[in-house]
Amino acid sequence: MQPKPNIVHLPVYQPGKPVEDVKRELGLTEVIKLASNENPFGSSPKAKEAIAREMENISIYPDGAAVELTNAIAKRFGVNTDQVIFGAGSDEIILMIARAFLVPGDETIMADQTFPQYKHNVQIENATIIEVPLKDGTHDLKAMGERVTDKTKVVWVCNPNNPTGTINTADEVEQFLSEIPSHVLVVLDEAYCEYIDDPSFPDGLKLLAKYPNVILLRTFSKIYGLASLRIGYGIGRPDVIRSINQVREPFNTSRFGQAAALAALQDDEFIAFCREENKKGLAYFNRSFAELGLQAFPAYGNFIMVDVKRSGQEVFDALLRKGVIVRAGHKLYPTYVRITVGSQEQNEKVIAALTTVLQELAVKV
């Protein structure tokens, strides 16, 4: 008889369906994957050159403290080096925060439809989860603040929210933070912040300077296009970062990830290009959805969530058969699908496929 694990109740994370699997299963030659919020324009040429140079050091352990990259992030954002921590994607930093700060009996607050890794890692620590319903697809910060008690240790705010793509404004976040007790750590997950040029979006670094119980999470997986290298980072007050570092595994980021991130950080021109193309893609999707009589949540990242007015899973399956991979299965939004913004060519093919699918499904009814 094998030992019984204490995590049998946990769901296994389901990533977007791989392109090669879809091609093989459905006999397709072309598949467009717009399910995982990846950058359709790849990564900076400077990052690719850095990866190639790093091949010479493939047998050598990485710098566990990521000193050079830490210095670059600290300089870029005007913080001290002891305020920065790196992880295998911002996902690992979420894991480390849960491990460092939560024990059974502690409470943690999050939205009821947000990035699932918050809940997953909290469940592993057996802390108590308080889920607060979204309001029009957006974090209801007032309601979240009202749920804070003496037992609350961590509050998670995904901004823009994944999967809905909505944001909380600077005024909303400022008001929220001003009312949160100092013993509560507030995680502002800003994985998609580089896509945003809206003046109403909060400046997380200014908030961090004012509120010591804030930690910012960011990543090189999205606009920087380094998703496969798994590297993200957190910026917080030194005492918060020190606590998280105590549970960090040694060598948790690779030489390739560190080198590529350092190079990508220097290529502002590539980032500006991706931001502008993403803005055009979102505008195209919104126009197209309006023509189809569909309504989407306001989108600020590199994805958009649209109500297809029927089972989202049914639409997902039908699109899959046409070689288009999107995301469905959101528990509170069963008639929605989430679509990553691709290149203009990809976007047009997705809309063409969606138009056909909705027509075909309407005929079946």
Side-chain angles (χ1 to χ4, degrees):
M1 181 177 177
Q2 68 180 46
K4 184 178 180 180
N6 68 347
I7 43 81
V8 291
H9 61 292
L10 294 181
V12 176
Y13 179 76
Q14 297 297 322
K17 202 166 179 65
V19 169
E20 293 307 316
D21 285 1
V22 175
K23 285 182 177 179
R24 182 174 58 254
E25 293 171 9
L26 300 178
L28 299 171
T29 57
E30 181 186 14
V31 172
I32 299 171
K33 181 189 177 190
L34 295 179
S36 299
N37 301 343
E38 296 152 329
N39 189 336
F41 305 106
S43 56
S44 164
K46 294 181 180 180
K48 296 175 184 178
E49 292 166 5
I51 293 169
R53 290 193 298 271
E54 202 57 43
M55 289 296 293
E56 294 296 321
N57 299 316
I58 198 168
S59 63
I60 303 172
Y61 281 112
D63 174 7
V67 170
E68 193 173 3
L69 185 55
T70 297
N71 288 335
I73 288 290
K75 182 178 179 181
R76 167 64 68 98
F77 297 115
V79 298
N80 297 323
T81 56
D82 61 358
Q83 291 184 258
V84 182
I85 189 168
F86 287 91
S90 54
D91 310 54
E92 189 191 20
I93 303 176
I94 293 167
L95 179 154
M96 291 189 286
I97 289 171
R99 182 175 294 176
F101 291 99
L102 296 173
V103 297
D106 288 339
E107 293 179 355
T108 182
I109 300 171
M110 63 192 70
D112 62 349
Q113 184 77 79
T114 190
F115 188 48
Q117 292 307 100
Y118 310 144
K119 184 173 183 178
H120 179 83
N121 284 291
V122 169
Q123 287 176 315
I124 292 173
E125 304 305 325
N126 287 311
T128 300
I129 298 168
I130 309 297
E131 293 184 282
V132 176
L134 293 175
K135 188 176 182 179
D136 298 324
T138 303
H139 282 67
D140 188 344
L141 296 182
K142 185 176 185 297
M144 293 175 76
E146 290 171 350
R147 299 299 300 273
V148 172
T149 71
D150 291 341
K151 294 182 178 180
T152 306
K153 294 286 286 292
V154 182
V155 178
W156 310 85
V157 179
C158 189
N159 203 30
N161 186 42
N162 182 7
T164 57
T166 58
I167 64 167
N168 288 100
T169 66
D171 289 344
E172 291 170 346
V173 175
E174 175 83 28
Q175 181 65 35
F176 170 71
L177 290 174
S178 70
E179 298 172 355
I180 294 296
S182 59
H183 75 272
V184 178
L185 180 66
V186 178
V187 182
L188 295 181
D189 188 342
E190 301 180 330
Y192 301 92
C193 66
E194 294 90 355
Y195 283 104
I196 303 173
D197 57 11
D198 190 307
S200 70
F201 187 69
D203 184 331
L205 291 162
K206 287 184 178 179
L207 293 172
L208 173 62
K210 187 174 181 180
Y211 299 99
N213 56 329
V214 166
I215 181 170
L216 310 176
L217 300 189
R218 296 184 178 181
T219 183
F220 285 93
S221 295
K222 303 306 178 184
I223 203 168
Y224 289 99
L226 303 179
S228 69
L229 296 180
R230 309 308 303 126
I231 186 157
Y233 60 100
I235 305 176
R237 291 297 180 93
D239 56 331
V240 172
I241 298 301
R242 188 180 308 113
S243 295
I244 300 171
N245 250 321
Q246 288 179 300
V247 300
R248 181 179 61 83
E249 298 292 336
F251 311 122
N252 64 322
T253 59
S254 70
R255 295 190 70 98
F256 296 103
Q258 291 180 30
L262 184 62
L265 200 62
Q266 313 307 318
D267 197 344
D268 292 330
E269 184 178 347
F270 176 77
I271 299 306
F273 165 77
C274 293
R275 184 185 302 115
E276 186 59 29
E277 291 301 306
N278 186 74
K279 185 187 297 185
K280 293 176 184 176
L282 285 175
Y284 172 76
F285 274 141
N286 279 311
R287 289 195 306 271
S288 300
F289 294 149
E291 292 170 1
L292 290 169
L294 306 178
Q295 188 170 0
F297 285 118
Y300 291 85
N302 69 335
F303 58 93
I304 189 166
M305 194 167 173
V306 59
D307 186 355
V308 292
K309 298 183 176 180
R310 58 179 64 246
S311 166
Q313 189 63 48
E314 184 181 28
V315 171
F316 167 87
D317 292 336
L319 285 172
L320 193 65
R321 291 191 291 271
K322 294 185 182 300
V324 174
I325 311 173
V326 297
R327 194 78 161 173
H330 303 98
K331 62 179 181 179
L332 300 182
Y333 298 99
T335 64
Y336 282 72
V337 296
R338 192 193 70 188
I339 306 174
T340 303
V341 179
S343 66
Q344 185 57 25
E345 180 183 6
Q346 290 174 323
N347 297 339
E348 290 175 1
K349 288 181 177 180
V350 169
I351 291 299
L354 179 61
T355 301
T356 301
V357 161
L358 292 177
Q359 290 172 344
E360 292 173 347
L361 293 176
V363 171
K364 287 184 179 180
V365 172

